[in-house]
C-alpha cells in the first residue's frame, strides 16, 4: 500500500486553498419542491436492523420500549424527521408472506431468512408491529410487496387488510387482530430487484407481471389512489427503464425505482474496510457516489421520452456506501461502521437528489439501523449516532422547501491522474422564506475557499453548522459516542450579495441566510 495522502490531521496542515470554487445561487429562479420523501429510510429483515435494532420485544425490561420498539430509536429518528420507512425488504420482501406475521405472536409460524444469514425468525415483528411503529415515529410506511414468490391475491389482500375501512374479509380479519381503523398506507412496492433476487426476470416479463399486479391494487387512500412503485433498474441498466416506461401506462404506475450503491466491487470480501480504507479506495468510493448524478440524468432522459410531464416519479429506494462487514461479525448481517467518508458521501448524494427533485421524489438510504450505511448503531442498551445521521439531521431543513438552482465551478480533488469536483452544493428556500445552502468538501486534505454569488437574495445575516473531523477515517464508537458531531460554523462571511466560505477538508456544512 502506498503511503496515505489523505490522513493528515488538521493540526499538521496549512489551511491554504486556491480560491477556485465559485458558486451562484439563483434565489429568484426556484420553482420545484424538494420532496421530504427524498429523506426516506429502509428497514429490512436483515441482520440486526429489525430484531435488536428497532425491536427488542415486549418482554424486554432493560431497554425502554413501547410494544417492543426501542424508545431511544424513536426519539433519534423523530429528530431526523423521517418521512417514510420502507419494509420488509429488499430481497427479503420477495420471500415474505404477510399473513405469517399477524395474529397472536405465539401462534405465528417461524421462518428461515434464506437471504441474510440463514437465521430463523419467529415473525414477532409483522404488519401491525411495523405500521404501529410508523405511527409512533410519525412517518409514512412504504410496504414492499412479494411478487417473486407471492401471488396477486396475496398482495391485493394485504392492501385490503391495511387500507379498507368498510366490511370485507380482510378488514374483518384486521379487526379480529385488534386494529379497528385502517392505517391508510399509500406507498407500495410491487416487488424488489425483479432483475435479481426478486426473480431473475427479464424486463418484458416483469413489465407484464407489474401490469397484472398493479391492476388489482386499486383502493384509494382518501382522495388519492395508492402509489405503486415498479421494481426499477440497477445502476446503468437503461434498457430496463426503457422497457418498463414503454410497456406500462402511467395510469398503472406512480413511481419507478432505481438502485445504486457506492461499492468498490461486488466480489465477496472485496468491498474494502469501512474504517481502514487507503487513499485509492476513498477516491473510488466518492467516484461511485458522484456517479449518481449521471445515472439520474440518463434514467430521467429515458423516462422523459414516455412521460414528458413527469407524472411518474423516479424512486431511488436503495442508496449508500457498501463495505466489508466489521471483523468478527456475521457476513450475512452486513454490519459496518460509518466514518466521515460516509458523511460527505451522504451530503453529496442528497445535493444530487435536490438538483433532480422534479423527477426524483423519493429515496431511501440503506439502511436505518445496524446495516450498511446506517444512521444508528446499537449495542445492548447503548445507541450510537453515526456521521451519516448528523448529515441527514442538518439537511432536514430542505424537506418540502423550494429548490434554488445553483451553478458550481469547483476546484478539483485529484488522485494520481484522476479528478473529481471537490465541492458539492445545493440550496433551497423554506416556507418561512429562509434560504439554506448545503456545501460539501470531499477533498480530505485541502480546504476550499468558496465564493457564493447570491442572485435575487438580500440576505442580512448568515449562521450555520458544520460536520468535520481531523481525519477522513474518524467515526463514533460506543466508547466515544461524540467524536464526530455537528458544531457551530464560523467560516462563512456575508458582504452584500456575496458569501465567502472557508470549508475545511472532508466536511459538510449547512448555512442559513
Amino acid at each position: 500500500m502506498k503511503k496515505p495522502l489523505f490522513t493528515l490531521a488538521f493540526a499538521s496542515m496549512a489551511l491554504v486553498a486556491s480560491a477556485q470554487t465559485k458558486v451562484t445561487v439563483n434565489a429568484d429562479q426556484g420553482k420545484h419542491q424538494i420532496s421530504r420523501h427524498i429523506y426516506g429510510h429502509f428497514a429490512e429483515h436483515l441482520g440486526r436492523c429489525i430484531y435488536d435494532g428497532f425491536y427488542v420485544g415486549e418482554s424486554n425490561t432493560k431497554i425502554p420500549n413501547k410494544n417492543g420498539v426501542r424508545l431511544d430509536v424513536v426519539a433519534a429518528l423523530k429528530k431526523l424527521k423521517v418521512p417514510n420507512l420502507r419494509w420488509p425488504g429488499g430481497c427479503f420482501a420477495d420471500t415474505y408472506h404477510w399473513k405469517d406475521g399477524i395474529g397472536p405472536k405465539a401462534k405465528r409460524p417461524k421462518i428461515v431468512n434464506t437471504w441474510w444469514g440463514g437465521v430463523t425468525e419467529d415473525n414477532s415483528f409483522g404488519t401491525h408491529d411495523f405500521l404501529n411503529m410508523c405511527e409512533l415515529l410519525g412517518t409514512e410506511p412504504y410496504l414492499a410487496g412479494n411478487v417473486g414468490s407471492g401471488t396477486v391475491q396475496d398482495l391485493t389482500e394485504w392492501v385490503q387488510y391495511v387500507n379498507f375501512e368498510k366490511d370485507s374479509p380482510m378488514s374483518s380479519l384486521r379487526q379480529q387482530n385488534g386494529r379497528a381503523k385502517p392505517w391508510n398506507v399509500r406507498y407500495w412496492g410491487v416487488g424488489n430487484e425483479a432483475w435479481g433476487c426478486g426473480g431473475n426476470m427479464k424486463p418484458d416479463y416483469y413489465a407484464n407481471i407489474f401490469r397484472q399486479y398493479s391492476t388489482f391494487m386499486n383502493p384509494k387512500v382518501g382522495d388519492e389512489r395508492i402509489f405503486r412503485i415498479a421494481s426499477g433498474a440497477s445502476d446503468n441498466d437503461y434498457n430496463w427503464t426503457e422497457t418498463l416506461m414503454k410497456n406500462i401506462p402511467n395510469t398503472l404506475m406512480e413511481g419507478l425505482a432505481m438502485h445504486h450503491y457506492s461499492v468498490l466491487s461486488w466480489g465477496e470480501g472485496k468491498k474494502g474496510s469501512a474504517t481502514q480504507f487507503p487513499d485509492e479506495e476513498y477516491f473510488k468510493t466518492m467516484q461511485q457516489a458522484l456517479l449518481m448524478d449521471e445515472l439520474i440524468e440518463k434514467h430521467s432522459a429515458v423516462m422523459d421520452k414516455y412521460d414528458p410531464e413527469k407524472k411518474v416519479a423516479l424512486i431511488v429506494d436503495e442508496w449508500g456506501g457498501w463495505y466489508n462487514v466489521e471483523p468478527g461479525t456475521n457476513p450475512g448481517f452486513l454490519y459496518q461502521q460509518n466514518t466521515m467518508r460516509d458523511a460527505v458521501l451522504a451530503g453529496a448524494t442528497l445535493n444530487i437528489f435536490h438538483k433532480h427533485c422534479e423527477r426524483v421524489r423519493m429515496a431511501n438510504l440503506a439502511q436505518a439501523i445496524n446495516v450498511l450505511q446506517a444512521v444508528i448503531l446499537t449495542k445492548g442498551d447503548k445507541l450510537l449516532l453515526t456521521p451519516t445521521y448528523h448529515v441527514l439531521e442538518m439537511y432536514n431543513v430542505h424537506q418540502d422547501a423550494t429548490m434554488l438552482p445553483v451553478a458550481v465551478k469547483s476546484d478539483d480533488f485529484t488522485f494520481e491522474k484522476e479528478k473529481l469536483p471537490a465541492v458539492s452544493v445545493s440550496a433551497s428556500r423554506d416556507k418561512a422564506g429562509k434560504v439554506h445552502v448545503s456545501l460539501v468538501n470531499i477533498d480530505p486534505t485541502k480546504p476550499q475557499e468558496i465564493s457564493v454569488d447570491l442572485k435575487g437574495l438580500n440576505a442580512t445575516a448568515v449562521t450555520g453548522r458544520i460536520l468535520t473531523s481531523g481525519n477522513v477515517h474518524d467515526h463514533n464508537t460506543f466508547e466515544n459516542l461524540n467524536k464526530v458531531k455537528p458544531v457551530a460554523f464560523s467560516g462563512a462571511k456575508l458582504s452584500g450579495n456575496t458569501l465567502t466560505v472557508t470549508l475545511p477538508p472532508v466536511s459538510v456544512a449547512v448555512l442559513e441566510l
Side-chain angles (χ1 to χ4, degrees):
M1 184 186 302
K2 293 182 179 180
K3 183 179 179 180
L5 301 173
F6 303 159
T7 55
L8 298 176
F10 288 159
S12 63
M13 294 170 60
L15 294 181
V16 178
S18 51
Q20 292 181 346
T21 295
K22 297 186 181 297
V23 177
T24 301
V25 174
N26 295 291
D28 53 352
Q29 295 182 19
K31 59 181 180 178
H32 302 300
Q33 186 183 65
I34 298 171
S35 171
R36 67 185 184 279
H37 289 291
I38 284 172
Y39 287 79
H41 289 259
F42 182 21
E44 184 169 5
H45 283 244
L46 199 174
R48 297 192 302 112
C49 184
I50 300 297
Y51 300 106
D52 200 33
F54 281 100
Y55 183 77
V56 292
E58 292 90 331
S59 61
N60 193 305
T61 57
K62 295 182 179 179
I63 301 174
N65 68 84
K66 182 173 182 179
N67 298 324
V69 175
R70 290 182 67 134
L71 291 177
D72 55 356
V73 163
V74 172
L77 293 181
K78 276 188 171 182
K79 191 175 181 183
L80 282 190
K81 300 180 182 177
V82 173
N84 69 80
L85 186 60
R86 183 175 179 237
W87 176 85
C91 294
F92 180 82
D94 282 297
T95 58
Y96 182 69
H97 298 277
W98 68 272
K99 288 181 182 177
D100 291 344
I102 60 173
K105 298 197 176 189
K107 294 183 178 180
R108 296 181 189 179
K110 290 182 171 62
I111 57 171
V112 177
N113 190 333
T114 55
W115 284 110
W116 305 116
V119 296
T120 300
E121 298 187 10
D122 63 4
N123 266 315
S124 57
F125 190 88
T127 296
H128 287 250
D129 309 278
F130 174 71
L131 296 180
N132 291 342
M133 182 180 78
C134 286
E135 289 183 337
L136 192 62
L137 288 167
T139 191
E140 290 197 57
Y142 168 14
L143 294 179
N146 181 348
V147 170
S149 67
T151 65
V152 174
Q153 182 176 349
D154 290 338
L155 187 49
T156 55
E157 286 186 341
W158 202 13
V159 174
Q160 188 182 101
Y161 185 87
V162 303
N163 280 359
F164 195 66
E165 187 165 15
K166 298 177 182 178
D167 187 38
S168 76
M170 290 299 104
S171 55
S172 295
L173 181 59
R174 181 189 72 238
Q175 291 163 12
Q176 290 171 27
N177 289 327
R179 175 78 181 197
K181 289 190 173 293
W183 290 277
N184 293 327
V185 176
R186 185 178 180 218
Y187 296 102
W188 292 83
V190 185
N192 166 78
E193 296 189 354
W195 40 264
C197 63
N200 285 303
M201 302 177 193
K202 294 182 178 179
D204 293 279
Y205 180 80
Y206 174 72
N208 286 330
I209 288 287
F210 178 89
R211 290 169 66 118
Q212 179 188 14
Y213 274 74
S214 182
T215 297
F216 295 97
M217 296 171 64
N218 56 11
K220 289 187 175 181
V221 177
D223 295 330
E224 297 181 277
R225 65 187 182 190
I226 61 174
F227 198 98
R228 296 157 294 184
I229 300 169
S231 172
S234 170
D235 301 291
N236 62 352
D237 187 353
Y238 305 114
N239 177 61
W240 186 278
T241 297
E242 179 107 32
T243 303
L244 268 56
M245 292 300 298
K246 181 169 60 178
N247 291 296
I248 301 172
N250 60 26
T251 55
L252 291 176
M253 175 174 64
E254 286 71 43
L256 176 61
M258 190 267 282
H259 292 175
H260 172 63
Y261 287 97
S262 301
V263 63
L264 298 174
S265 169
W266 288 110
E268 188 67 34
K270 295 182 179 180
K271 299 178 181 69
S273 168
T275 57
Q276 302 302 315
F277 45 89
D279 304 349
E280 181 180 11
E281 288 183 8
Y282 175 78
F283 185 89
K284 289 187 178 299
T285 300
M286 295 314 304
Q287 202 170 38
Q288 285 297 307
L290 297 183
L291 180 61
M292 183 71 81
D293 189 36
E294 176 186 318
L295 295 173
I296 291 173
E297 283 187 355
K298 291 186 176 180
H299 282 291
S300 296
V302 174
M303 295 175 76
D304 286 346
K305 289 169 57 179
Y306 303 94
D307 176 33
E309 297 179 354
K310 294 180 169 58
K311 293 181 178 179
V312 179
L314 181 60
I315 312 293
V316 188
D317 56 14
E318 291 187 28
W319 68 272
W322 192 323
Y323 318 116
N324 292 337
V325 302
E326 292 305 299
T329 65
N330 188 325
F333 282 10
L334 305 187
Y335 177 80
Q336 63 187 42
Q337 252 292 357
N338 194 292
T339 68
M340 277 302 303
R341 171 174 64 173
D342 299 289
V344 294
L345 188 159
T349 301
L350 291 168
N351 287 343
I352 292 168
F353 292 159
H354 294 172
K355 173 185 174 182
H356 296 286
C357 66
E358 188 180 7
R359 179 66 83 176
V360 178
R361 301 198 286 275
M362 180 186 284
N364 298 81
L365 174 66
Q367 291 186 15
I369 307 177
N370 294 329
V371 173
L372 298 178
Q373 193 172 341
V375 293
I376 293 171
L377 303 179
T378 64
K379 182 179 181 182
D381 61 353
K382 294 182 180 179
L383 179 145
L384 177 156
L385 305 179
T386 69
T388 299
Y389 174 95
H390 293 305
V391 171
L392 268 70
E393 187 274 324
M394 292 165 62
Y395 268 54
N396 67 28
V397 293
H398 293 294
Q399 291 187 16
D400 288 339
T402 300
M403 186 270 287
L404 302 178
V406 299
V408 182
K409 184 180 179 182
S410 174
D411 191 10
D412 291 330
F413 161 42
T414 59
F415 175 73
E416 295 182 347
K417 295 182 179 181
E418 296 186 277
K419 63 183 180 180
L420 294 169
V423 175
S424 166
V425 184
S426 70
S428 70
R429 177 185 283 108
D430 67 17
K431 293 176 182 177
K434 294 178 180 177
V435 169
H436 293 97
V437 181
S438 297
L439 306 106
V440 179
N441 179 8
I442 69 169
D443 194 314
T445 62
K446 192 168 77 173
Q448 299 293 319
E449 287 290 340
I450 306 169
S451 176
V452 184
D453 181 11
L454 303 168
K455 287 195 172 180
L457 177 65
N458 295 315
T460 57
V462 58
T463 58
R465 288 190 295 159
I466 189 168
L467 186 76
T468 190
S469 194
N471 191 300
V472 70
H473 302 93
D474 285 348
H475 56 282
N476 295 329
T477 66
F478 289 101
E479 293 71 39
N480 188 353
L481 296 174
N482 294 306
K483 183 176 181 64
V484 180
K485 65 178 182 178
V487 296
F489 182 50
S490 59
K493 307 296 179 185
L494 184 64
S495 177
N497 284 353
T498 300
L499 182 67
T500 303
V501 182
T502 301
L503 201 60
V506 66
S507 62
V508 181
V510 177
L511 309 180
E512 181 175 286
L513 294 156

